[in-house]
Amino acid sequence: MSLHGVTVTVGAGEWVRAGQPQIPIAEVVGETVLDAGRPVRLFSTVGEALGAGVADPENEVVRIWAGAAELEGTRAFDAAFFRGRVRRALQLRQTMGLVDGQSAYRLINGEGDGLSGVSADVYGEYAVATALSRGLVGHARSVAEAALVVFADVGVSLRGVVVKTRLKAQGARAERAQDLRAQDLIVGAEPPAKLIVREAGVPYEVHLRGGINVGLFSDMREHRAGLGRFVRGKRVLNTFAYTGALSLAAARAAAAAVVSVDLAAGPLAWARENFRLSGLDPEAPRFRWEASDVFRFLDAEKTQRATYDVIILDPPTVSGAGAASWAAKRDYPELIAAACALFPDDGGGHLWVSSNNHRGASVLRHVEAGLALAGRAAAVLELGGLPPDFPTPSNWPAARYLEVCQLRVGSKAR
């Protein structure tokens, strides 16, 4: 497809020259409508070629995929372009030792790999390519096709790719309201309904068809690996447990007890299967599974005078699932305070807190407010973020969405 030339404002031109990966679509001069996914060449107000990208009106941006130095002729974003992007991305993951045909990792991380609005995750011999709007689906398919070729070129098995769409307003309610399975496109071989992948040798079950979330978040890989330093012989509570990856990490690291809480019973059943894959009996006395609203569970445990040594808080940014409603900006301080109430008054405990938010408050601001409500002091032991297979542009902090904080919480103030 040929590039459609558009002119951008002076300010937007400076952003593109500075290497920013997107500009507001309102900064395009004189264009009332840009077709979703349309490749565009960007010009300054004096006719200087600045770069090229794709229009994404659903998200109200133009995504910049190439600078002026990369442009040749009037055509771009063909098969060769996508193969080049995938090849460069794969080489980086190979240097990290992730490309082994059985592990899970991020192959294309949007802006960090020069393809704003598109991501791709590998799960063993299959992958999932995700577009952040309907207009980008065709480009995500091109990434999938390129991946099959590039992997074959380097002798790494990749049998098929599932192409998905993550809509702007998508959340728990949106997933219930539409059949996401019907939106999946398959490039190459279709993956099995249940697939076993490994992370540092640990097996996990993933479901690549259907909903956006497949059961394992690769961005948490290093934080799962590091959890074992804090849980040996401890009583661990994992809230918002989902498919139990953090619960499993604690159990494998010889935690004395692991309690997993999630609003939905389905993910907890999935979590039990992950335990079985590791040779752990999920019905053993030291493991407990609770399908419950987390706030209600914490309150009930406080009433029963239950205490824990380690509490994991890994909530979604927002959720409208079931009867519960959650928003990190509004509810996180109260959640932290409620969790701290389950630490011994005279001994404190270890708090593991995560935040998944592109533009919200830092997790430390939530922690500070929550500790004030709880009447506790704490020391930050570690503050981490995304693993290296999730590269982000140095001038685009919005892409660095993940924060994980380890805290040693002190005794309750008297």
Side-chain angles (χ1 to χ4, degrees):
M1 180 184 292
S2 62
L3 289 165
H4 174 58
V6 298
T7 301
V8 300
T9 65
V10 173
E14 292 302 315
W15 297 335
V16 177
R17 290 189 191 93
Q20 294 203 13
Q22 57 183 252
I23 61 171
I25 205 165
E27 298 295 322
V28 175
V29 177
E31 293 279 347
T32 57
V33 177
L34 281 176
D35 293 337
R38 178 69 189 265
V40 294
R41 182 191 290 268
L42 307 177
F43 292 93
S44 72
T45 54
V46 296
E48 174 193 1
L50 300 171
V54 294
D56 185 3
E58 185 174 324
N59 289 294
E60 302 177 345
V61 298
V62 174
R63 300 183 181 275
I64 314 303
W65 283 1
E70 295 180 90
L71 297 178
E72 293 184 7
T74 59
R75 300 179 65 83
F77 312 145
D78 55 8
F81 169 83
F82 286 107
R83 290 175 188 176
R85 286 288 192 264
V86 171
R87 186 174 294 109
R88 184 175 66 186
L90 181 62
Q91 288 170 349
L92 176 62
R93 278 68 179 182
Q94 286 176 311
T95 66
M96 300 172 191
L98 295 171
V99 185
D100 58 9
Q102 59 180 348
S103 294
Y105 58 92
R106 174 62 57 96
L107 173 66
I108 298 289
N109 193 48
E111 291 84 3
D113 288 296
L115 288 170
S116 175
V118 178
S119 65
D121 296 280
V122 174
Y123 301 93
E125 294 185 310
Y126 296 90
V128 174
T130 304
L132 292 188
S133 68
R134 297 176 184 88
L136 297 175
V137 172
H139 299 300
R141 179 168 189 154
S142 295
V143 168
E145 293 168 345
L148 290 176
V149 172
V150 171
F151 274 62
D153 286 346
V154 298
V156 178
S157 177
L158 184 67
R159 300 183 60 192
V161 184
V162 182
V163 180
K164 298 178 181 287
T165 312
R166 182 186 289 275
L167 303 180
K168 183 176 181 180
Q170 189 165 291
R173 290 175 180 171
E175 287 203 20
R176 291 198 303 272
Q178 59 184 312
D179 182 4
L180 295 178
R181 181 180 296 275
Q183 294 187 5
D184 289 352
L185 299 173
I186 305 296
V187 179
E190 180 176 355
K194 298 180 180 180
L195 179 69
I196 306 302
V197 297
R198 295 185 178 273
E199 181 179 281
V202 179
Y204 294 91
E205 179 184 298
V206 294
H207 304 172
L208 303 190
R209 298 297 311 275
I212 287 292
N213 296 329
V214 305
L216 184 67
F217 296 108
S218 297
D219 55 4
M220 284 288 190
R221 179 193 313 107
E222 297 192 358
H223 302 295
R224 283 190 285 270
L227 183 61
R229 296 169 291 169
F230 306 109
V231 302
R232 180 174 295 275
K234 305 294 186 180
R235 296 162 296 175
V236 178
L237 171 61
N238 182 19
T239 64
F240 306 93
Y242 188 42
T243 58
L246 286 166
S247 297
L248 179 59
R252 289 177 60 94
V258 180
V259 178
S260 304
V261 183
D262 197 274
L263 184 62
L268 290 180
W270 192 343
R272 290 182 177 91
E273 290 303 312
N274 281 329
F275 271 56
R276 292 187 180 97
L277 287 172
S278 279
L280 297 172
D281 178 5
E283 310 309 324
R286 70 185 182 109
F287 304 134
R288 177 180 164 198
W289 311 90
E290 293 285 344
S292 172
D293 170 71
V294 168
F295 276 102
R296 292 177 183 171
F297 176 85
L298 295 175
D299 187 59
E301 290 292 273
K302 180 181 178 181
T303 299
Q304 295 296 320
R305 299 182 181 275
T307 59
Y308 295 89
D309 305 306
V310 179
I311 299 178
I312 299 168
L313 303 179
D314 185 22
T317 303
V318 294
S319 175
S325 177
W326 159 269
K329 182 178 180 180
R330 180 190 67 221
D331 301 322
Y332 218 147
E334 289 187 12
L335 175 65
I336 291 170
C340 287
L342 299 187
F343 290 137
D345 290 345
D346 59 352
H350 184 95
L351 189 62
W352 189 105
V353 185
S354 78
S355 177
N356 182 338
N357 197 339
H358 289 268
R359 292 181 174 86
S362 164
V363 69
L364 289 177
R365 292 182 60 185
H366 296 312
V367 166
E368 182 181 359
L371 291 172
L373 287 174
R376 304 255 189 168
V380 175
L381 303 181
E382 183 177 82
L383 185 63
L386 294 167
D389 51 321
F390 285 70
T392 59
S394 59
N395 63 350
W396 198 250
R400 293 184 285 279
Y401 61 87
L402 180 65
E403 289 182 296
V404 176
C405 186
Q406 310 277 350
L407 297 135
R408 176 61 189 177
V409 178
S411 302
K412 189 173 183 179
R414 298 187 183 278

